[in-house]
Amino acid sequence: MHTLAYSELEGNQVGRVNSVVLFVVDGLRPDGLQKAKTPSIDSLVNNGAYTFEARTVMPSVTLPCIASMLLGTDPKHHGIITNTWNASDRLIPSIIDLVHSEGMTTASFYNWEPLRDLSKPGSLNASFFLDNAEEPQGDLEIARLAADYLSRKPTSFTFIYLGHTDAAGHKYGWMTDGYLEAVENADAAIGKILEAIDRSDAAGNTVFIVTSDHGGHEKTHGTEMPEDLIVPWIISGSGIPSNLELREPVNIIDTAPTIAALLGIEKPIEWRGRVVSQILQSIIDRP
């Protein structure tokens, strides 16, 4: 047992946790998160590491951003530049593909249908899609599905996408009361899943990440404005230090390499993101 050095982190020699859950709250701005009442996410912040100055990629729209997050590289390399899937000939594995190729289990819960292409056929042990992001109950229904499944079948990597916050931003405007209510609704959805996992066999050996694909301004996004590009990035759970504000720059393309390191998997050469070393330096090897 030893504390890891930075060079070891870059080599992905990190003790494995059993499970990583990635929550993506669409259109979540850091100042929206800080202004809304979000006890579940606040608990993850207080008991984990965080930055409210992480950056997304351009174009700052959903599919290019989430593809970048799961493929560990930016749009100019993976070729997805609109909300229509148009991947380049580069066969870049997503974190879902990578985890599954190592014989581990994967699951996906989402309520925006274009996300179906984020993994190759056969890489998901479970996949749940509901076309319900326009209504607050949609995120809560996705959460109920995830909570029920994960309480019975602990999974090595789980992707959970909650889309109503973005829908509210487009309908009411970012930072309006309607938008902040959607942020609070997403927090309630996350809370249901955290409670279910806490009662499951995965309790105590799971890491949670909460982030967003992009922010927004007025009733839109997609620009290089800070309101569109700056997102929260929060990580909490097994082995993660408490109440640690990250000093190093974090980009959403660093999410997949960090998850791979937590699960003890070597990073593919195609990925251009890096391991967020500040948090992983405190992870202790497990047998």
Side-chain angles (χ1 to χ4, degrees):
M1 297 175 65
H2 65 283
T3 301
L4 300 169
Y6 180 77
S7 60
E8 291 179 291
L9 295 172
E10 288 301 296
N12 294 297
Q13 301 300 313
V14 175
R16 182 184 296 173
V17 298
N18 286 348
S19 177
V20 178
V21 178
L22 172 62
F23 295 99
V24 177
V25 182
D26 197 331
L28 179 61
R29 276 174 45 168
D31 51 351
L33 177 59
Q34 292 169 297
K35 188 172 182 179
K37 296 177 181 178
T38 55
S40 297
I41 299 176
D42 291 349
S43 178
L44 295 176
V45 170
N46 293 334
N47 293 287
Y50 67 93
T51 176
F52 294 133
E53 297 181 356
R55 294 185 69 85
T56 190
V57 298
M58 279 293 293
S60 53
V61 293
T62 296
L63 193 58
C65 292
I66 297 183
S68 298
M69 192 184 303
L70 271 65
L71 293 170
T73 192
D74 52 75
K76 70 179 180 181
H77 291 104
H78 59 59
I80 302 155
I81 58 174
T82 71
N83 276 337
T84 299
W85 186 268
N86 184 28
S88 70
D89 290 336
R90 297 174 185 265
L91 300 178
I92 301 172
S94 74
I95 184 63
I96 297 172
D97 301 322
L98 185 65
V99 172
H100 192 267
S101 72
E102 292 291 321
M104 303 181 197
T105 53
T106 57
S108 181
F109 302 82
Y110 58 104
N111 54 7
W112 189 59
E113 199 261 347
L115 298 179
R116 69 188 183 279
D117 291 315
L118 289 174
S119 61
K120 298 172 185 176
S123 291
L124 281 164
N125 295 95
S127 180
F128 296 82
F129 164 70
L130 294 174
D131 185 14
N132 60 12
E134 294 298 320
E135 299 297 327
Q137 288 300 315
D139 284 356
L140 295 173
E141 191 168 0
I142 288 291
R144 283 192 289 270
L145 285 172
D148 178 65
Y149 184 86
L150 296 174
S151 66
R152 295 180 291 105
K153 296 185 178 182
T155 303
S156 304
F157 174 67
T158 306
F159 171 72
I160 300 173
Y161 167 88
L162 304 174
H164 181 63
T165 305
D166 181 73
H170 286 294
K171 182 176 181 178
Y172 303 111
W174 265 259
M175 300 304 293
T176 62
D177 288 346
Y179 170 78
L180 295 176
E181 289 173 4
V183 173
E184 294 174 359
N185 183 75
D187 182 77
I190 290 172
K192 290 181 181 296
I193 298 166
L194 296 179
E195 291 172 3
I197 292 175
D198 190 52
R199 297 191 301 266
S200 75
D201 292 341
N205 204 9
T206 299
V207 168
F208 304 97
I209 298 174
V210 177
T211 188
S212 185
D213 48 349
H214 57 74
H217 68 282
E218 298 177 353
K219 293 185 177 182
T220 190
H221 55 84
T223 77
E224 295 188 66
M225 294 175 61
E227 291 87 346
D228 293 2
L229 289 180
I230 305 302
V231 297
W233 198 89
I234 300 155
I235 184 166
S236 184
S238 179
I240 306 298
S242 295
N243 200 25
L244 173 65
E245 185 171 5
L246 296 171
R247 299 182 302 274
E248 62 185 296
V250 176
N251 191 286
I252 63 168
I253 69 170
D254 301 329
T255 305
T258 301
I259 293 169
L262 286 164
L263 293 172
I265 304 172
E266 184 177 354
K267 183 179 77 171
I269 59 173
E270 298 94 340
W271 289 4
R272 301 203 170 201
R274 60 177 187 82
V275 175
V276 180
S277 62
Q278 190 178 347
I279 55 169
L280 295 184
Q281 285 172 357
S282 66
I283 299 289
I284 297 175
D285 279 347
R286 291 172 172 80

